[in-house]
Amino acid sequence: FAGVTNTSLGLGGNDAYLVKTTNSGAPIWSTKYGRSNDEFLHNVREDGLGNIYSVGYLRNYSDRRTGFLAKHDLNGNPLWLKDLDMGEGFTYLTNLAFTASNNPIVTGYTNAQTYGDFDGLVLVVDAYNGNTMFSKKIHLNPVPLYVWQMDT
């Protein structure tokens, strides 16, 4: 499971954490990650190879919100953490699934470089290095669009 903590042991502000448990709920390992400001998790999933991905957003020094995707190995060791920033404005990443080749498909919404309302957002990310392979903003003028859930 995953969540957010705000303790004196934090890395700065609210920090994200992951905990892996046995089927009966006993902890196997836990880890947290963060930067100097706040990180908030929206979803965590395991790919077909046992890697653990989490998506959410961070609040930076200027109070902007930037989406992020983190990858951990099956023992909770961090492999990479990528900002998926769509430009000025806010970007929230809310859910993820995987392609047949275990590349993450990330959804969310953003008002970066748009008409002021939020647009839906879909990204496909390279599992090896976290680089964006595909991105698409979906705009339904004049209605804001929020992408929260998906299935593959």
Side-chain angles (χ1 to χ4, degrees):
F1 63 90
V4 175
T5 183
N6 187 352
T7 68
S8 61
L9 301 175
L11 302 169
N14 293 303
D15 297 316
Y17 67 87
L18 298 172
V19 179
K20 184 170 185 172
T21 65
T22 64
N23 289 339
S24 62
I28 298 172
W29 56 256
S30 66
T31 187
K32 70 178 171 180
Y33 53 98
R35 299 180 186 166
S36 60
N37 289 318
D38 297 329
E39 294 77 30
F40 298 93
L41 284 176
H42 281 286
N43 204 315
V44 61
R45 295 264 171 110
E46 186 174 330
D47 71 8
L49 303 173
N51 297 301
I52 299 156
Y53 291 83
S54 55
V55 293
Y57 71 93
L58 60 92
R59 186 175 69 202
N60 67 18
Y61 61 90
S62 64
D63 207 33
R64 277 189 58 225
R65 273 71 168 183
T66 302
F68 74 85
L69 173 66
K71 179 180 180 181
H72 291 77
D73 68 17
L74 59 99
N75 296 312
N77 300 308
L79 299 175
W80 46 256
L81 173 66
K82 289 286 188 168
D83 291 351
L84 298 173
D85 188 4
M86 302 309 292
E88 291 299 317
F90 294 164
T91 300
Y92 298 94
L93 300 180
T94 57
N95 206 344
L96 56 99
F98 299 97
T99 66
S101 55
N102 289 303
N103 289 316
I105 305 167
V106 180
T107 61
Y109 53 98
T110 183
N111 70 350
Q113 302 172 344
T114 63
Y115 311 102
D117 288 328
F118 283 94
D119 293 338
L121 179 63
V122 177
L123 303 138
V124 178
V125 177
D126 188 317
Y128 177 72
N129 57 23
N131 292 336
T132 301
M133 300 167 62
F134 170 85
S135 69
K136 179 71 176 173
K137 289 195 285 187
I138 306 158
H139 184 74
L140 297 177
N141 195 20
V143 179
L145 179 62
Y146 306 91
V147 179
W148 279 96
Q149 194 69 24
M150 70 171 163
D151 233 340
T152 56

